[in-house]
Amino acid sequence: MTTNNGHSTGADMGPEEIQAVIDRILASDEAAVAKSKKGTAPDQGAAPGEKTPTEKTWRSRALALSGEDGPSEADGDQQDLQERRALRRVAGLSTELEDVTEVEYRQLRLERVVLAGIWSEGTAQDAENSLQELAALAETAGSEVLDGIVQRRLKPDPGTFLGSGKAQELKTIVEATGADTVIVDSELSPSQRRGLEDIVKVKVIDRTALILDIFAQHAKSREGKAQVELAQLEYLLPRLRGWGESMSRQAGGQVGSASAGMGSRGPGETKIELDRRKIRTRMAKLRREITAMKPARETKRSNRRRNQVPSVAIAGYTNAGKSSLLNRLTDAGVLVENALFATLDPTVRKAETPDGIGYTLADTVGFVRSLPTQLIEAFRSTLEEVADSDLILHVVDASHPDPEGQIAAVRAVLTEVDARKIPEIIVLNKADAADPFVIERLRQREPRTVVVSARTGAGLTELRQLISTNIPRPGVKLDLLVPYEHGEILSRLHEEDVEILGLDHVDEGTRLEVMVREGLAAELEPYIRHE
């Protein structure tokens, strides 16, 4: 018996023919699976399940900046982290179908990116570290880094950033790796981005756009979201461009030999100008909203200043361990994640010195090399927490390949927000993973340092003592006699802004030798002992 197309049915086929059909079906299935995983399969020289040399190289470079450690017990329940990880994209998947027969293998995938940078100053290692950091930023944004190139140039090419020859080489790499995005380790002008896109034929973004994308993903509070949107619009406004006839300039009157004439006279680039107007209107609204949120933060600061509560700000490079340190010192339970710019919203918590003096500890947004100017302006109200503090804990990742570069980048931002005159303690974090020679080199370079590990808790006792020594302390010494019936005064003297040097109970009441601040000294004048 045969079918209409002339093929034999299973009833007429012998065992060998049936086995041949089964083998052919299995072979086609295996080929389809291999094709759907194109770009992620290991090289011929790689062991099964092992990443290609390129993938391993860039993955290790990115992780060298961020580390592999997750939250510790001191970081609390980390419910915010669980919420963030509740919806995650998965690497190595794709929705693209090259053949309808592969429909059962259809999957989702991340953006696959190639990095490009220019080495114009410094050493080759500096350029390599910068590209490693860009790889870590790309992975934080949810991309898969496939390859990267660095070109030695005195200055970027005005048309294509890399120059025509290197841009063609980049195009070859993009085609070979199957990448769909190129990320440039610098801020591109609109013409450079268009010129590079025209050559490589895939989307091109710069370092600023990548950082803005990470901030947009991680912003959680209303103020943080408004600040990020404002920064994105400031970045977008000069980069608007027209597409086709919808945004082309309309000629007025008789223009040259074109003689457009009637029907062509109009207001010019109507669509693009309308878009610009909408963006400016939205930016003005966001600025008003951010300004309206400022009084609440100012009120809290003024209350702390009125009560003369010392304030300590934690500043530092992104992923240096600022939130982990805050959790260790205050049990704040702030979100901790092995990613760059994991936390954006400032967190202020109450803390005490070993001898009982109270102060506030504020966690701030992390910094990075070439932090976009738009972000510094948009987050200026947040960065005022640093500028108004009495002491800065400058957290440095001692296990980073270039800790000195981190310190310089952070201090550049502190200068922009007028915070360089505030006393600073360099906190060398991640000591458990750092090279002892690097730690010693940094300690020789910086006058006030302390070596800690927020993960293990090592060095925190010394850090607390340094904070206690460097914050403003009560400066008025009083010898008091408080009658027993005035227990409220005794209770007030046991609060965090008073340092009790001596206490004794006598027949007339309680004798105390205390250090207080000037405002409280006037209130205690009736109880001062006069010999």
Side-chain angles (χ1 to χ4, degrees), residues 84 89 140-142 212-220 228 344:
R84 178 176 291 178
R89 292 177 289 178
T140 300
L212 289 172
D213 181 80
I214 296 171
F215 271 60
Q217 291 182 46
H218 292 178
K220 189 172 181 181
V228 171
L344 302 182

Side-chain angles (χ1 to χ4, degrees), residues 98-118:
E98 296 182 7
D99 191 324
V100 72
T101 59
E102 299 175 20
V103 66
E104 65 269 29
Y105 304 114
R106 184 171 51 189
Q107 297 168 318
L108 294 170
R109 80 169 189 189
L110 296 175
E111 286 184 276
R112 297 159 60 81
V113 303
V114 171
L115 311 179
I118 280 182

Side-chain angles (χ1 to χ4, degrees), residues 83-226:
E83 178 184 347
R84 178 176 291 178
R85 291 179 174 176
L87 181 62
R88 294 181 68 88
R89 292 177 289 178
V90 181
L93 309 178
S94 172
T95 55
E96 297 170 349
L97 291 179
E98 296 182 7
D99 191 324
V100 72
T101 59
E102 299 175 20
V103 66
E104 65 269 29
Y105 304 114
R106 184 171 51 189
Q107 297 168 318
L108 294 170
R109 80 169 189 189
L110 296 175
E111 286 184 276
R112 297 159 60 81
V113 303
V114 171
L115 311 179
I118 280 182
W119 169 26
S120 56
E121 58 184 13
T123 64
Q125 186 61 44
D126 293 336
E128 187 77 7
N129 288 340
S130 183
L131 213 62
Q132 291 173 20
E133 182 175 89
L134 188 67
L137 287 168
E139 290 186 355
T140 300
S143 301
E144 181 185 358
V145 180
L146 302 178
D147 207 342
I149 60 170
V150 178
Q151 183 187 20
R152 175 66 161 157
R153 284 182 69 97
L154 292 179
K155 59 181 180 179
D157 184 272
T160 58
F161 183 75
L162 292 174
S164 56
K166 188 61 70 172
Q168 289 292 340
E169 182 181 335
L170 180 61
K171 178 184 178 181
T172 303
I173 294 174
V174 168
E175 292 174 347
T177 57
D180 48 36
T181 304
V182 169
I183 304 178
V184 176
D185 191 20
S186 181
E187 184 167 341
L188 297 176
S189 67
S191 60
Q192 286 174 328
R193 187 166 66 89
R194 286 197 298 269
L196 196 55
E197 279 185 347
D198 291 341
I199 295 176
V200 298
K201 305 301 182 184
V202 296
K203 180 175 67 175
V204 175
I205 64 172
D206 58 17
R207 182 188 181 94
T208 301
L210 177 62
I211 293 175
L212 289 172
D213 181 80
I214 296 171
F215 271 60
Q217 291 182 46
H218 292 178
K220 189 172 181 181
S221 68
R222 180 167 168 260
E223 184 178 10
K225 290 178 180 178

Side-chain angles (χ1 to χ4, degrees), residues 232-290:
Q232 287 180 315
L233 291 176
E234 287 179 346
Y235 173 81
L236 175 64
L237 184 60
R239 290 169 172 79
L240 284 180
R241 61 174 176 170
W243 292 96
E245 295 297 324
S246 63
M247 292 187 180
S248 62
R249 182 175 297 279
Q250 299 180 22
Q254 305 295 323
V255 182
S257 59
S259 301
M262 289 183 294
S264 64
R265 288 183 281 269
E269 293 181 327
T270 306
K271 180 68 168 61
I272 198 168
E273 287 301 329
L274 284 174
D275 287 346
R276 284 174 178 155
R277 191 175 301 113
K278 289 177 182 177
I279 289 177
R280 291 190 184 101
T281 302
R282 179 61 179 165
M283 287 170 62
K285 182 180 179 183
L286 288 171
R287 287 194 178 99
R288 288 195 300 269
E289 290 180 358
I290 293 172

Side-chain angles (χ1 to χ4, degrees), residues 206-386:
D206 58 17
R207 182 188 181 94
T208 301
L210 177 62
I211 293 175
L212 289 172
D213 181 80
I214 296 171
F215 271 60
Q217 291 182 46
H218 292 178
K220 189 172 181 181
S221 68
R222 180 167 168 260
E223 184 178 10
K225 290 178 180 178
Q227 289 168 330
V228 171
E229 185 179 355
L230 177 60
Q232 287 180 315
L233 291 176
E234 287 179 346
Y235 173 81
L236 175 64
L237 184 60
R239 290 169 172 79
L240 284 180
R241 61 174 176 170
W243 292 96
E245 295 297 324
S246 63
M247 292 187 180
S248 62
R249 182 175 297 279
Q250 299 180 22
Q254 305 295 323
V255 182
S257 59
S259 301
M262 289 183 294
S264 64
R265 288 183 281 269
E269 293 181 327
T270 306
K271 180 68 168 61
I272 198 168
E273 287 301 329
L274 284 174
D275 287 346
R276 284 174 178 155
R277 191 175 301 113
K278 289 177 182 177
I279 289 177
R280 291 190 184 101
T281 302
R282 179 61 179 165
M283 287 170 62
K285 182 180 179 183
L286 288 171
R287 287 194 178 99
R288 288 195 300 269
E289 290 180 358
I290 293 172
T291 303
M293 299 173 197
K294 191 174 180 180
R297 196 180 296 279
E298 281 292 339
T299 301
K300 294 176 182 177
R301 288 200 200 106
S302 62
N303 287 338
R304 294 198 294 265
R305 284 194 290 266
R306 184 172 60 252
N307 296 326
Q308 297 181 316
V309 178
S311 61
V312 179
I314 302 177
Y317 213 76
T318 179
N319 207 44
K322 299 183 298 300
S323 298
S324 298
L325 188 64
L326 178 69
N327 290 340
R328 275 285 182 182
L329 293 175
T330 65
D331 297 324
V334 174
L335 181 145
V336 172
E337 187 177 13
N338 180 21
L340 307 188
F341 299 113
T343 50
L344 302 182
D345 301 316
T347 304
V348 181
R349 291 292 184 269
K350 186 178 178 181
E352 282 188 10
T353 63
D355 55 353
I357 301 298
Y359 64 95
T360 60
L361 200 60
D363 183 19
T364 60
V365 62
F367 304 145
V368 73
R369 286 186 187 89
S370 306
L371 188 67
T373 306
Q374 298 95 332
L375 282 174
I376 296 176
E377 290 302 319
F379 278 78
R380 187 167 291 276
S381 61
T382 299
L383 295 174
E384 287 174 359
E385 293 286 354
V386 181

